[in-house]
Amino acid sequence: MLKNCWYIACPSRKLKNRPVARTLFGRRLVFFRSESGQVSALDDSCPHRNAPLSAGEVADGQLACPYHGWRFDCQGRLVEIPYRAGTPPDCSVQQYDCVEQDGYVWVCPGDKVPEEAPLVFPHLGLPGWTSFRMETLFAANVEACLENFLDCPHATHVHRYWFRTPTAKPVMAQVTMLEDGAVAEYFQEPREKSLVWSLLSPGKAVGMKHTDRYIAPATSRVDYEFDDGRAYSITSSCTPQDEFQTRVFTVISFRRGWLGPLVRLFFHPLSRLIIQQDVRMLALQQENIRHRGKADFKALDQDVLYRPIMAWRKALRQGGTLPEAGDQWQVELKL
Ligand code: FES
Ligand SMILES: [Fe+2]
């Protein structure tokens, strides 16, 4: 079931008049545009001698293989063999469903297209909001990425002084299982001096609401809303390349009115720096797991959204019953 979902292949603007190669669930796909601009996804292997079609070129909305020039249309049908007269034999390349939404090309790598449209990134294009996008390749699987993006305690170590300065103050998290995942809301959260808080938060006198959300199958969303109207929202959609690598597409949106473009000027490179700290940490963790042969984790309530993420993904992977919405519990931790 995990395959029968929408995943981001690439930003729409990356797909112009050349084919783009992407790997999903270990399978190589090629993306290109038809003459009308419609996006198409095919297996990245020519049926003739299995050359990668992504190394070929797009002409008149058709994809030409780089080896002997066989041409395929956007449904994957063979339409021409340049060195053979007449109608080509019946032959086609496996095609995958894809759509464009929110400036991304989405593909369903499975054989059953989901009924729902792909994830909508909140706040994109809303008045008063400014957004920027990031694409990051992690040497880690989807579960490790999702947990990392929704894990508060790691920030006091991996992002110490950048994003979170440890205070050891008690914090309460309330976790609620939802129809499409789970959410954790944090209470009495400290906002000690760190670079990001100093630059972006309005000071401790102003109230703040912080929620971390897991959206099945492969999205995380973090929201900070302040009583003075400022708000920050970080949504990351994970595309599994294979067991060991995940391509993460992040949209960061914030409500700062006319100051938005100015804030983006330093917020964007700062976010890149912080995400690179996670890239390095996850690469170390995964390398260690591979060396040991398998993951062997100690579960803790304070790994707040780890269990909901694993329960959802296990059910989706095995085609079992999905976790029920409504369950709620509280976790005490120190941040
Ligand atoms: S391998 Fe593609 S045309 Fe020969
Ligand atoms: Fe992080």
Side-chain angles (χ1 to χ4, degrees), residues 54-111:
S54 56
E57 39 185 59
V58 182
D60 306 323
Q62 295 172 343
L63 184 56
C65 177
Y67 199 179
H68 311 89
W70 286 27
R71 280 164 78 120
F72 301 88
D73 68 11
C74 57
Q75 265 102 46
R77 281 184 303 243
L78 173 64
V79 288
E80 192 194 327
I81 298 177
Y83 52 93
R84 180 183 184 271
T87 319
D90 193 17
C91 171
S92 58
V93 186
Q94 164 89 49
Q95 186 208 10
Y96 298 86
D97 280 82
C98 48
V99 290
E100 278 186 272
Q101 185 179 291
D102 283 350
Y104 289 112
V105 174
W106 301 75
V107 64
C108 170
D111 48 14

Side-chain angles (χ1 to χ4, degrees), residues 25-38:
F25 290 90
R27 183 171 276 261
R28 292 180 174 187
L29 308 186
V30 55
F31 296 81
F32 69 104
R33 287 188 189 275
S34 69
E35 244 183 337
S36 64
Q38 210 187 322

Side-chain angles (χ1 to χ4, degrees), residues 127-130 229-231 254-263:
W129 287 78
T130 308
R230 289 179 210 206
F254 49 98
R255 190 167 54 205
R256 293 298 297 271
W258 63 271
L259 266 177
L262 264 179
V263 172

Side-chain angles (χ1 to χ4, degrees), residues 170-188:
V171 173
M172 210 267 289
Q174 172 149 301
V175 186
T176 309
M177 295 300 286
L178 303 174
E179 291 283 327
D180 62 350
V183 65
E185 182 173 359
Y186 288 85
F187 299 93
Q188 305 108 36

Side-chain angles (χ1 to χ4, degrees), residues 251-327:
V251 174
I252 298 189
S253 299
F254 49 98
R255 190 167 54 205
R256 293 298 297 271
W258 63 271
L259 266 177
L262 264 179
V263 172
R264 180 173 52 198
L265 225 49
F266 68 85
F267 195 16
H268 193 168
L270 190 59
S271 306
R272 277 243 63 90
L273 270 170
I274 290 175
I275 210 164
Q276 284 309 318
Q277 295 174 328
D278 287 321
V279 167
R280 285 194 291 276
M281 189 65 244
L282 289 194
L284 284 175
Q285 176 211 17
Q286 297 300 312
E287 203 277 321
N288 212 31
I289 290 171
R290 267 206 294 282
H291 194 75
R292 291 170 57 85
K294 67 176 174 66
D296 178 20
F297 295 165
K298 177 85 186 147
L300 204 65
D301 287 343
Q302 283 71 15
D303 303 324
V304 179
L305 283 169
Y306 178 70
R307 277 189 199 150
I309 292 170
M310 295 315 272
W312 263 95
R313 290 193 53 90
K314 187 175 170 201
L316 286 169
R317 195 178 300 112
Q318 299 178 345
T321 320
L322 300 177
E324 246 180 67
D327 251 15

